[in-house]
Each structure stands twice: as structure tokens, then as C-alpha cells.
Amino acid sequence: MAFCKYSTEYIASSKTEIDNIFINDYMPFADPQHVVVYLYGLYLCNSTSFDNTLENFARTLNLSEEDIILAFEYWQEQGLVQILKVEPLQVTFIPLKNVLSANKLYKPDKYALFNQQAQELFKGKRAITKHEYEEYYDFLERYHFEQEALLMIMQYCIETKKSAVGYNYILTVAKNWANEGITTSLQVEERLKAFEESSSQIKEIFSALLIKRPAYVEERAIINKWLQDYGFSLETLLHICKKNKKKSYLSIEKLDSIITKYFEMKLLSIQEIDSFEETKQSYYDLAKEINRNIGVYYENLEVVVENYIIKWINLGFEKELLLEIANYCFKNSIRTLEGMDRTVTKFYKLGLLSLPAFNQYMGQILSDDSKIKTILSKLNIDRNVSTYDRSNYKIWTQEWKISEELLEYALTLAKGKNNPIKYLARVLADYRDKGIKTVEEAKNNQPIKESQATESNFTGRSYSKEEINALFQSIDEIDV
């Protein structure tokens, strides 16, 4: 008997760790009863205090001993345990990190028919090695792929390659499809049917690219993606192929990157693509100027064009305004394209997309600033116009509908007060609340006392007097 051991209560209150590999790769595909056996067995591995026998194991789970043995045989086939003895039953649990690289044991007849049919597909061109078979078994088990489905893929790869195709190629195709959720013979049949339905279109595309051989499986999948997933018409794809066929480095994979970029930029028609290509150089030139204006350098301007320039142009911005925004960003220490993008978004929310719209808006800002400056002067306040002042003036004149005459009269009441801006705001709010619209009505109204106006905590943040900055300071108040 052990000198020291855990109590039953201690073991019951502790934890049994379960590897995520088991939960993700094994549990969803196993019989629930087999999962229960595995987990309880794992629990018992952490304990020496229980009567760890097959009889007690079966009694605890309310299963027969035969059920327990069948479950452990299943897990041995998966490579997760090893049955050392049957009488009495002895099972060793294998760390899951070792399972993926270990050779699994399979029942002799499990893949007998698969082996025969797989070898027949090659029609004597080459023999399948023991290692190759093991790679197929491992794939079938790990991806829970149907044997018939893999045989269909093998046959299609052999027919399209028209050579003694290697198993790495076959498994690459099969794994790609498995990752897309295609694991059954019915699903593989549907995919191959889609390939055949688009065969004439694939031939036309290959002809446009001056490729004389048949399309490989992976190439057919790529072209089907262009046609079905991306939604390009055959006419558009042929146009793209003809425009790019003279490039010496061109392949289906390279062409895929070109077409995928068109798709991501929402350029789906011949007209849209040609228009983009014609103006592409101007986009690169604009990217250079903007980078220079905000003080950044990108060796690969394609990233700038795709992520920013096209986005801004598609929003409707003119080149001249984008350059003006870049200048402003530099002056205000916004030295990244991400920062400029946020500023551009603020302009978009204001509907300012062109330089004339910019100038008109700036004129309004400067006109308002001139009026605000007059107000400050009449209140004997000597400082620059701030965002606080602009916000107040907008509220008074646009939201409260205070006329210039009424505002002028209110200034005479606020002049000389300790906190004239705050007092002026309270007087105007009083007019709004009482519906006072004219100076005559205001004179008949008892003005509020200075003590009724709360103390101002305004610090008077100041800005540059430059006209361009006056505009952008108002822009900065907009949230993105």
C-alpha cells in the first residue's frame, strides 16, 4: 500500500485536463459512448485511489465490459491509446502531441478495397508505395474523409494531369477541398460536375492565355471561383486574360491575384476595369504627392493606392482637395495615412468632396469667425476664436434662431460682467425659453442677474489665425 496518496474527495475536486486536439479533431466524429469511455479512462489515469479494474469501470459507466473493450479498440485505431493486454485489460493513454506523428494501427481489412481500387486507377503507370498508402490513411482518418470521395479525386487528378501524378498533388487537392467542407463522395461529385459544366469556359480562358494543355484540378477550382464566387462574366475574364497574356511571368495563380484585386476593389465589368487601368498611373502619381505632403514614404505604392487612394476617389473626392487635406495633416502633425484617412472621413460627413465646396465652406467659417471676433471685441475679450466660440455661435444662431439684432442687444447686457460669455449664453437661453424674438420684447423682459449665471470653467483654447486652419479646426470637431 502506498505511503502517501490522495483522498477520494481530493481527486474528485481536482481537474482532468483535456487536450483541444481531442475536442476539435476526435470528439465530434466518435460515438458518444466511446467519448465517455475515453474521458473516464483519462480521469482514472490521474488517480491511484480507485478500484481501477475493468469490472468497476463498466459498473460506474453502466456499460458492459465488451462495450468498454470495443471503445478502447476504437481509440487504439485512432492512435490515442494502446491496449497492452486483454486479460486483464491494460490500456495506456498516449499524449495527443505524439499522436499526429505516430503510425496508427488499422484493422487489416479496413482499407483492403481502397488499396486495390487506388492501385487500379494508375493503370500500371506506377505502384503505390507503403508510405503513400499510410499518407492516404492518415488523411482519411484525420479529415474524416470518405474513401470513395478520395478515390474520385485521385481519378480526376490522374485524368487531368495525364501523367503519373504524385500523391502529394492528390492530397493537396483533397485537403483544400476538405478545408472547404467537401468530405463525402456526393460533395466531390457535385464539385466535379461543376468543373465539367464550366469546361467550355475554362477552355476559352486557356485559349486566350495561349495555354494548350488541359487545366489541372486546382486551376479549374480557381477559374470556377472567378465565375461563381466572384461573379465575373466570361467576357470580362477573357478581356483580362488578353490584356495580361504577354506578361512573361503570368500563370493562373498570378492571374488569380490580379482578378482577386479587381474583385476586392469592386471592379467587375470591362468598362470599370479599363477605366481603372487608364487612370491607374494618375493614382500612383497622386499617392506620391500625398505621401510627400504628409511626410511619409512607401516603396510599394500599390498598397497606398489600393487601401487609400481608390477608396477616397470612389467616395468622390477631387485630387486638389486630397492634396489640401494632406497639407493640413502635415501642419497639424498628422503624419500617417491612417490619420489622414480619419480626416478625409470627417470631410465626407460634411459633404465636402471638391475644392469649390471646400472654399465655400471655408468662406462660411471665416465669415462666422469674423462675427464671433466682433462679439469677443464688444465684450472686451482679446483672444483668437476657439472651437468653443464656434459651437456657441452655431447653437445661438442656427438652433435657437437668435437674430443678429437680438444678439447685439444681449451683448450690451453681457458687457462688463465677470464671465461675459457664460452670461451671454444664459441671457440668450432665457430668450429662447420665453419665446422672445425681438429687441422690444427683450427690453420688456427682466434680465437675469449675474449671480444666476454659473461660473465659467472655460479655458479659452486658441488656434492659429491662418485661414486654412480655421476651416480644419471646425472639421476636427466631427467624430468618425
Side-chain angles (χ1 to χ4, degrees), residues 56-94:
N56 193 52
F57 195 110
R59 182 170 53 252
T60 301
L61 296 183
N62 195 27
L63 297 172
S64 69
E65 293 183 7
E66 290 76 15
D67 289 335
I68 304 299
I69 294 172
L70 285 174
F72 279 123
E73 286 178 347
Y74 170 80
W75 290 120
Q76 177 172 256
E77 188 173 310
Q78 298 301 313
L80 274 63
V81 304
Q82 183 179 1
I83 299 176
L84 303 178
K85 289 178 61 177
V86 178
E87 289 290 345
L89 183 64
Q90 292 184 13
V91 179
T92 297
F93 279 68
I94 298 171

Side-chain angles (χ1 to χ4, degrees), residues 207-258:
S207 176
L209 293 171
L210 304 179
I211 301 175
K212 297 181 179 180
R213 60 171 174 79
Y216 299 147
V217 177
E218 66 274 22
E219 293 171 335
R220 291 174 179 268
I222 291 172
I223 294 173
N224 271 327
K225 178 183 67 175
W226 301 342
L227 291 165
Q228 298 175 14
D229 298 343
Y230 289 176
F232 283 97
S233 68
L234 177 61
E235 182 185 12
T236 300
L237 291 176
L238 292 174
H239 182 76
I240 296 171
C241 292
K242 291 173 182 176
K243 287 178 70 71
N244 289 277
K245 67 181 179 182
K246 294 183 179 179
K247 296 179 180 178
S248 59
Y249 63 85
L250 190 65
S251 64
I252 293 295
E253 290 73 18
K254 290 287 186 181
L255 191 60
D256 181 45
S257 66
I258 295 171

Side-chain angles (χ1 to χ4, degrees), residues 269-321:
S269 69
I270 293 176
Q271 182 180 2
E272 290 170 329
I273 291 170
D274 285 350
S275 176
F276 167 75
E277 292 297 339
E278 289 171 5
T279 57
K280 192 173 183 179
Q281 188 56 50
S282 67
Y283 291 167
Y284 280 80
D285 294 340
L286 178 58
K288 286 181 183 179
E289 288 189 72
I290 287 176
N291 286 349
R292 183 167 55 249
N293 286 2
I294 64 174
V296 298
Y297 174 76
Y298 279 80
E299 183 175 353
N300 183 8
L301 288 175
E302 188 173 357
V303 175
V304 180
V305 170
E306 291 180 4
N307 293 335
Y308 297 103
I309 304 300
I310 292 176
K311 171 186 173 182
W312 298 337
I313 295 297
N314 285 343
L315 286 174
F317 281 91
E318 291 184 351
K319 170 185 175 181
E320 292 76 12
L321 181 55

Side-chain angles (χ1 to χ4, degrees), residues 156 176-177 180 182 186-196 221 224 228:
Y156 197 76
N176 288 337
W177 291 15
E180 295 177 36
I182 299 175
L186 180 60
Q187 291 170 323
V188 171
E189 184 179 8
E190 290 175 351
R191 171 61 64 87
L192 295 178
K193 183 180 178 181
F195 281 1
E196 292 306 316
N224 271 327
Q228 298 175 14

